[in-house]
Amino acid sequence: MKTRGAILRQAPGKFEVVDLELDDPRQGEIRVKMVASGMCHSDDHMATGDLPVAVYPVCGGHEGAGIVESVGPNTAGYAPGDKVIFSFLPACGHCEWCSTGHQNLCDLGALVLVGSRWDDPNSFRMHLDDGSPVGQALGISTFSEYTTVAVDSAVKVPEDTPLEKACLLGCAAGTGWGSVVRTGEVAPGDTVVIMGVGGIGAMAVQAAATAGAENVIAVDPVAFKRESAQRLGATHAVASMKEATEIAQSLTNGQGAALAVVTVGVISGDHIAEAFASVRKQGTVVVTALGNVTNVGIPVPILELTLYEKKIKGSLFGSGNPRSDIPKMLRLYHAGKLQLDELITTEYALDDINRGYEDMHAGTNIRGVIRY
Ligand code: CXF
Ligand code: ZN
């Protein structure tokens, strides 16, 4: 069938909305009519070249939700009309990681920037009009009116799910929430610093507040984002890590934060070093943000690492399990215990995708969402 999708022809580059040929689903696949797609900073990292993919053009987007249009042959568990939220990380269910409760590290994750099907580097579901292959970002390409995906990447959700909000569960929500409650192992009474409060940081703020953190210090140079973080449960909101560290220390008898989560837009080693300076003995720094693939080095005082037993932990999808965490967060949303609507500041048409990313850079959005 024909669809329209936002592709990058090269990196650095800009998204271009073009006609695409989309294949029928094969065994183990579904074709989905998209309802909404969040505009994550990681897609911008693909556009800048921070995060290179194996095949260009690539159709972007990895935070989406939609309605099953057709189901591949011999593919159990799905029917046309089912609602699904995509996980940007596939979960095969069988590898060592999936079967030990670490679906975020499913072995298929190694293939998400390849653009083809997992099992065949020459098998693509999207093509340009001239027949040349188009890679699918994270295997899903949510910046397309329709997309064909492996069921490994889909989580079926109840009929009453508002997909235009719940699409955030596939990346920002799970990543931000899990960075605090799973990777960061926040405890009631903790003082927590969230460094950067865009879409992912805003979820991290909520997670810390609802998990019982005593102090949640949001850090962002953009005043609008600080105000939004305060509405979502931040007890303090400041523009710099210097201020955040001083506040954390003043609230903890000079000790510092128990947890600092780095959710800035483009990370460097210096951000991690600032977070490291803000945490107490045995404090944890969770590194969630992405930066350029060539970045190496974290300039932290090594003695402090050893003698204060500080920890630096990477976090992918918040160390969570998409198949159980997406439904869990959805239940929390329905119970009013997890805010998604408040994060979605602007909805865009697919054709306005570049305006959406300009707005992200201008700091006028928490999360922009494409509505189909
Ligand atoms: C990223 C992780 C690296 C690949 C692109 C998606 N996660 C969330 O945005
Ligand atoms: Zn993302």
Side-chain angles (χ1 to χ4, degrees):
M1 72 178 289
K2 292 269 181 217
T3 185
R4 292 175 74 248
I7 63 166
L8 293 167
R9 291 188 192 271
Q10 75 274 312
K14 283 210 175 301
F15 285 105
E16 194 184 323
V17 179
V18 299
D19 289 334
L20 295 169
E21 194 59 49
L22 180 69
D23 284 5
D24 293 343
R26 302 187 192 173
Q27 183 167 344
E29 297 179 353
I30 50 177
R31 187 159 60 192
V32 174
K33 182 178 181 2
M34 295 304 298
V35 170
S37 173
M39 297 176 61
C40 180
H41 203 127
S42 299
D43 292 294
D44 191 63
H45 283 300
M46 287 186 193
T48 61
D50 279 349
L51 207 59
V53 297
V55 172
Y56 295 93
V58 59
C59 182
H62 63 271
E63 182 181 87
I67 297 170
V68 175
E69 177 263 352
S70 54
V71 180
N74 306 313
T75 302
Y78 294 87
D82 283 348
K83 287 187 170 178
V84 290
I85 298 175
F86 294 142
S87 164
F88 79 81
L89 292 167
C92 73
H94 309 294
C95 69
E96 180 180 349
W97 297 98
C98 281
S99 54
T100 54
H102 304 284
Q103 288 172 357
N104 64 320
L105 297 176
C106 171
D107 284 342
L108 294 179
L111 304 167
V112 293
L113 298 180
V114 169
S116 65
R117 289 298 94 165
W118 325 128
D119 56 346
D120 182 352
N122 297 310
S123 184
F124 293 86
R125 295 295 170 274
M126 287 183 166
H127 295 85
L128 296 178
D129 280 345
D130 65 6
S132 52
V134 173
Q136 285 181 279
L138 287 296
I140 53 182
S141 293
T142 63
F143 292 163
S144 177
E145 291 166 348
Y146 286 82
T147 187
T148 298
V149 307
V151 293
D152 305 315
S153 306
V155 177
K156 199 158 105 175
V157 290
E159 173 58 31
D160 65 352
T161 304
L163 297 179
E164 70 283 6
K165 314 287 185 203
C167 63
L168 299 197
L169 298 177
C171 182
T175 300
W177 185 76
S179 292
V180 170
V181 304
R182 301 221 185 286
T183 321
E185 298 179 278
V186 71
D190 277 354
T191 291
V192 179
V193 172
I194 309 295
M195 188 174 179
V197 283
I200 291 174
M203 282 305 305
V205 164
Q206 292 189 55
T210 54
E214 183 184 1
N215 305 299
V216 182
I217 307 168
V219 187
D220 204 291
V222 180
F224 157 70
K225 294 187 187 176
R226 295 198 297 271
E227 285 152 21
S228 155
Q230 283 178 300
R231 284 195 294 278
L232 292 167
T235 55
H236 304 73
V238 293
S240 70
M241 278 302 284
K242 182 173 181 294
E243 294 165 273
T245 303
E246 282 166 9
I247 292 172
Q249 288 172 347
S250 74
L251 293 166
T252 57
N253 199 23
Q255 298 276 308
L259 172 65
V261 183
V262 186
T263 44
V264 297
V266 185
I267 198 171
S268 70
D270 290 338
H271 291 116
I272 304 172
E274 286 184 289
F276 191 82
S278 76
V279 299
R280 69 183 184 192
K281 287 180 279 189
Q282 284 200 337
T284 301
V285 174
V286 170
V287 180
T288 304
L290 300 178
N292 189 277
V293 64
T294 60
N295 279 358
V296 172
I298 304 172
V300 299
I302 296 169
L303 269 191
E304 244 178 73
L305 183 70
T306 312
L307 302 183
Y308 291 174
E309 293 193 344
K310 292 187 178 184
K311 295 182 281 289
I312 302 176
K313 296 172 82 175
S315 184
L316 180 64
F317 194 70
S319 310
N321 290 288
R323 295 213 175 278
S324 56
D325 280 345
I326 289 175
K328 185 174 291 178
M329 290 184 290
L330 189 57
R331 292 194 298 275
L332 289 172
Y333 170 76
H334 281 302
K337 294 179 178 172
L338 185 145
Q339 316 305 318
L340 296 176
D341 303 21
E342 291 71 5
L343 269 56
I344 300 172
T345 35
T346 314
E347 290 186 343
Y348 300 88
L350 177 64
D351 289 293
D352 293 329
I353 184 166
N354 287 315
R355 184 162 61 81
Y357 276 108
E358 282 159 23
D359 290 349
M360 184 195 77
H361 284 295
T364 55
N365 274 337
I366 303 301
R367 198 56 142 198
V369 164
I370 294 171
R371 280 298 299 276
Y372 294 96

